[in-house]
Amino acid sequence: MRLKLDQSNRWVTLALYIGSMLLLMEWVYPLNIVTDTGETHVFMVFIVLMFALSLLQLPVGVVSTIKGFMLLVFVHYLFVDTTFFSFEWIGLLAQDMMQNIVATMQQNWQALTPLFRTILFLLLLWMLSYLLYYWFVVVKRPFAFILLTVLYVTALDTFTLYEANTAIVRVFVLSALLLVLANFHRIVEKESLALPQPRQWVKWLAPMMFVIGISAAIGYAAPKYEPQWPDPVSFIQAASAGGFGDGPGDGGIRRVGYGENDDRLGGGFQMDDTTVFLATANSPRYWKVETKDVYTGLGWQRSSDGETIANDAGQFPEMSQYGDVVGELETDFQLQMVEPGNLTKLPYIYGTDQVGTDQTGINFEYNPITGELLSLDDGEQMLVEDSYSFEATRPDFPRNAMRQVPVEYNSESGIDEGYLQLPEDLPERVSALAEEIVAEEDQNRYDYAAAIEDYFSRNNFQYATDDVAVPDEDEDYVDQFLFETQRGYCDNFSTSMVVMLRSLDIPARWAKGFTGGDRAFQQETFPDAGSGVFEVENNNAHSWVEVYFPDVGWVPFEPTVGFQNQASFSTGESIEDILEDNEDDTLDQPDSSEQSDVNDQLDEGSDEDETGAAASGDGPTISLWTTVIVSVIVVVTGGLVFYYRDHLTTAWRKRQLKHHPNQSTITQSYQFVMKLLAKEGYPFKPGETLREYASQADRVLDGKSMSELTQYYERFVYRDESLDARTSDYYQVWTRVTDQILSK
C-alpha cells in the first residue's frame, strides 16, 4: 500500500515528519548505555535514510528495493568481511538466515546469531519509519508515540544508568511543537480555513516557541525535591535473593564478589553492588584475574603455583603471546581501584602487555601459569590508591584459523597435558554427552568448542542465583548440573564446559575475573574520558572458559546462559592461507553456536577497518565513511526529488498523455491537475460539480483553461466520444493548465 498524503502545507508536513524521526532517535540514543550496543550512529544513519525514502512517495516497489539494499549494506559493514554481494557473501548470508529460521521455528531464541538479530532490529526501524509517517503526516495523531517516548525515557532514567536530564528536555520541547503543529493543522483542515503563507508562519510560531522555551528553561533550572521514595532499583535488588560470585560454597547464601577459594562450588548468594574499580574502555571487556587447571569433582584447585616474572618497567610480553594469524589492535586504558575487598590482584583485559602507575616504589610481577598480575610495594603485594595505566594489543581471534586445528591434543603443540586433567571417578555420562553434542559437527577444535558453548542455551538450561544445588561429597558438581538440576550460574556453566571439552581431548582451563560492567557517567575519576568509563561491581564477578589453539593461543568462550562473549572474533585467515602465501581459500561460515555479541561486532567494525586484521575478502569492503557519503548523496538527491516531485510527475504524465492517449491516461491526467490545485489550497469540495470546480479554478488561473480542460474531459469520459480527433487539443490545454499551476 502506498501512502496518500494531503500536503496542503508541505512545510507543516515536513516539520511533523522530521519531528517523528527525532523522537525515534531518542529510543536509540540510550542503547550504548543500557545495553552493550556500540556504534549507535550506524543506526542513526539508517533511520535518516529510511525516513527520507518514505517521504519521497516513490512507487512502493522502488522504495522497498532501495531500503532492502541499504539494509544489506549496513549488515555487510557490521558483520561480513568478504566482498559485498559476491557469491561468497551471498552464501554466508543465506546459510546464516537458514540456521536462524530453523532456530526460530524451534523457539530456540538463544541460538539466534548477532547478524540475524541485527537484521530484525533494522527491519523494525524500517517498519517504524512507515508507521510514524502515517501517524504524524497522514492522520496527524502524534500523541500516542509521544507518550510512549516520554515513558521510555523516564523508565530508563529510573531503572538504568542512563541519565535523561537533557533527553527529557529535548523530548518535551519537540513534543510540544509537534502537538501544536498537528492540532493546528487538523483544525485548519476541519474548518476549511486557508493556511497562512510561509512568511506568516513566523508570526504564528514565535509566541509558541517563546512559551515552550520559557517552560522548558524553568522546568530544567527550577529547584527539585529530593527523592520521596527509595530508589526502586536498590529496593528490587534488596528484595531479591539472587546474585553470583566466587568463594567457598557451603550451600547457604553467599556474598557476591571475587574470592580466592574455589575448592567447593555451589549454593546461592546475595547481590552486592559495591564498586570494585573504575576503568576506561571503548566497550565492555572481560577483566581477567586468574586461571585454574585442576577439577576435583567439587571445585577447582591448582596443580602448580608457578613462578612469577618480575619487571620493574611493567612490561610483560608473555601476557599477550598470540600467533601471527591473530589480528591485534593497540589500545590503552586506565584502572582505578575503589573498594577491592577480597581482590588482591590486578584485573586486565586480553592482550595487555604493559602496566604502570604514578605511585613511586611500585613493582609488578606476572605469573604465566596462573595468569595473575601482581602489584608490589617493597616486595609486599598490594593495590595502590593511584590509578593504573595499561597498554594492550587487543586480540581479534580468527575463526578460520581455529577451524584448522585438529580436535585431539598434540604433545608438540607446546601446551601442558595437565589441561586435559579429569577426576578418575567422573561419571561416564558426562563424556558421553559431550560426544553426543559434537556428533554432527565438523571435526575441528573450534566447532567442537562452539557446539558445547551453545549447548546450554539450546537446551533450556536456566541461569539462577538462588536455590542452586550443592553436591554431596560423593556427587560430581558437573554431573549434578548437567543431568539433575540444569540450573545454576557462571561457575556451573563454565566448569561443565571445561570438563566436557577435556573429555574430548581438548585442552581447556577455568578463568576468573569480572565482566565489563556498566558505563559510569557521574564520576570524577576520569573526567576527560566522557562516556568511556565503566564501573565494575562485585556483581560483575564472573567465570568463563579458555580453550587452547596452537598458533593462536588461549581463546575465551562464554557458555553461561544470558551472557555474551566480550572477546573479539572475526572470520580471519586460515593457517593454510598463511603457509601458502595468502592463496585464496574458501571461507567457512560461522554457525549459530558462535555467540558473538552484537555490541562487540558494532564496536569492532571501526577497529577492523583500522587494523585490516579482519579483512579476508577478495576486494575492498564498504567502509562507514563510504556509507555516510552515499547516505548524504541519497538524502540530498531525495530532498531534490521531493522538492521538485510535482514537476517530475508532471513531465511523466505529459509524456504518457502524448504517447499513450487513452481514457485511462486522460482520467489520470485530469485527477493529477485536481491534486495540484488542492496543494495550492483549492481542493474539490463535496457536492460540487466539475464545472463549478473548474469555474472556481479559473479565477485562480486568470483565464478559462480549466473550464476548457473540463469540457474535453467530460466529452471523453462521460459522452464516450472518440479520442482520435481532439486528443492533441486536450494535450495542449492540459499542458497550459499545469504550467500555470506550477508557476504559482
Side-chain angles (χ1 to χ4, degrees), residues 97-304:
M97 294 297 294
M98 289 299 299
Q99 292 173 345
N100 284 278
I101 291 173
V102 172
T104 302
M105 295 176 63
Q106 297 174 348
Q107 298 184 357
N108 185 13
W109 313 120
Q110 295 289 343
L112 299 182
T113 62
L115 185 149
F116 185 73
R117 293 198 299 267
T118 302
I119 289 178
L120 295 180
F121 183 63
L122 294 176
L123 288 175
L124 175 63
L125 295 178
W126 179 343
M127 290 186 292
L128 283 174
S129 69
Y130 176 91
L131 293 174
L132 293 180
Y133 179 92
Y134 180 79
W135 291 338
F136 281 71
V137 175
V138 179
V139 299
K140 297 179 177 63
R141 301 283 182 180
F143 179 75
F145 187 72
I146 288 174
L147 178 61
L148 289 175
T149 304
V150 172
L151 294 176
Y152 171 76
V153 171
T154 53
L156 291 184
D157 181 75
T158 302
F159 294 100
T160 72
L161 294 176
Y162 181 58
E163 294 291 339
N165 295 337
T166 56
I168 198 64
V169 174
R170 291 196 304 265
V171 172
F172 167 76
V173 173
L174 185 59
S175 300
L177 288 171
L178 294 175
L179 287 172
V180 170
L181 286 174
N183 282 280
F184 173 74
H185 198 274
R186 202 160 51 245
I187 292 173
V188 169
E189 289 181 339
K190 182 178 180 180
E191 301 297 333
S192 300
L193 301 175
L195 284 170
Q197 295 300 318
R199 295 179 180 178
Q200 296 176 325
W201 273 105
V202 177
K203 299 179 181 179
W204 293 82
L205 291 176
M208 177 184 67
M209 294 290 294
F210 179 77
V211 172
I212 294 175
I214 291 296
S215 302
I218 293 175
Y220 185 80
K224 312 293 191 302
Y225 281 109
E226 293 297 323
Q228 302 299 302
W229 296 282
D231 184 353
V233 176
S234 301
F235 175 78
I236 293 171
Q237 290 180 342
S240 173
F244 58 91
D246 302 299
D250 55 5
I253 301 297
R254 292 189 296 170
R255 186 175 181 82
V256 69
Y258 194 87
E260 299 285 345
N261 191 337
D262 302 298
D263 291 349
R264 189 75 183 272
L265 301 178
F269 37 75
Q270 292 179 335
M271 297 293 285
D272 179 6
D273 58 3
T274 301
T275 301
V276 181
F277 60 89
L278 296 171
T280 60
N282 293 326
S283 61
R285 297 289 166 189
Y286 285 128
W287 295 97
K288 182 177 175 180
V289 177
E290 62 179 317
T291 62
K292 294 188 177 181
D293 62 337
V294 177
Y295 173 64
T296 64
L298 297 175
W300 286 97
Q301 297 178 354
R302 288 202 181 108
S303 60
S304 172

Side-chain angles (χ1 to χ4, degrees), residues 420-671:
L420 299 174
Q421 173 273 336
L422 288 173
E424 294 182 359
D425 56 351
L426 179 71
E428 293 183 1
R429 60 179 180 175
V430 173
S431 56
L433 175 62
E435 294 177 356
E436 178 183 343
I437 294 172
V438 302
E440 298 182 1
E441 301 294 329
D442 292 340
Q443 293 187 7
N444 64 77
R445 189 169 295 183
Y446 176 79
D447 284 338
Y448 273 29
I452 295 177
E453 179 187 45
D454 193 44
Y455 169 77
F456 305 99
S457 60
R458 289 188 291 106
N459 289 273
N460 300 319
F461 278 69
Q462 295 183 6
Y463 179 85
T465 57
D466 57 350
D467 297 329
V468 178
V470 180
D472 295 333
E473 292 292 340
D474 58 347
E475 288 184 297
D476 185 86
Y477 176 70
V478 168
D479 182 81
Q480 181 190 62
F481 173 65
L482 291 176
F483 299 101
E484 297 179 14
T485 65
Q486 297 187 340
R487 171 189 175 90
Y489 45 92
C490 56
D491 291 349
N492 299 86
F493 291 94
S494 57
T495 302
S496 298
M497 180 174 176
V498 172
V499 170
M500 285 196 287
L501 287 172
R502 290 183 174 186
S503 70
L504 297 173
D505 207 28
I506 297 177
R509 65 188 182 188
W510 193 62
K512 290 176 54 181
F514 297 87
T515 57
D518 298 311
R519 293 187 186 270
F521 292 91
Q522 295 181 337
Q523 56 84 32
E524 300 178 356
T525 305
F526 303 110
D528 298 330
S531 61
V533 179
F534 286 81
E535 179 183 17
V536 179
E537 303 174 345
N538 275 328
N539 295 333
N540 297 114
H542 193 57
S543 62
W544 60 92
V545 179
E546 290 183 351
V547 182
Y548 186 75
F549 293 84
D551 299 315
V552 176
W554 287 102
V555 179
F557 284 80
E558 179 55 87
T560 304
V561 172
F563 287 74
Q564 297 288 347
N565 198 336
Q566 294 177 346
S568 302
F569 290 85
S570 66
T571 303
E573 297 177 324
S574 69
I575 292 177
E576 289 185 4
D577 292 336
I578 301 298
L579 296 179
E580 297 175 9
D581 195 23
N582 295 322
E583 180 180 350
D584 292 339
D585 194 11
T586 301
L587 295 177
D588 293 323
Q589 162 65 14
D591 58 38
S592 61
S593 64
E594 297 164 358
Q595 297 184 350
S596 296
D597 192 351
V598 175
N599 314 294
D600 288 344
Q601 297 289 352
L602 296 178
D603 290 332
E604 291 307 310
S606 59
D607 296 341
E608 291 171 359
D609 287 341
E610 294 175 6
T611 62
S616 60
D618 296 328
T621 58
I622 298 179
S623 66
L624 179 60
W625 283 113
T626 302
T627 303
V628 171
I629 293 173
V630 172
S631 302
V632 171
I633 293 174
V634 170
V635 171
V636 172
T637 303
L640 293 174
V641 171
F642 176 76
Y643 187 79
Y644 292 103
R645 66 192 182 283
D646 290 338
H647 295 75
L648 295 174
T649 307
T650 300
W652 181 76
R653 293 287 183 192
K654 187 176 181 180
R655 185 178 183 278
Q656 290 291 106
L657 190 61
K658 183 177 182 180
H659 296 285
H660 305 285
N662 54 52
Q663 194 171 43
S664 175
T665 55
I666 289 175
T667 300
Q668 293 174 0
S669 64
Y670 187 84
Q671 291 176 351

Side-chain angles (χ1 to χ4, degrees), residues 72-73 75-76 80-94:
L72 294 177
V73 170
V75 169
H76 171 265
V80 185
D81 298 322
T82 60
T83 304
F84 181 66
F85 230 82
S86 62
F87 287 108
E88 186 176 33
W89 182 88
I90 295 174
L92 293 175
L93 185 63

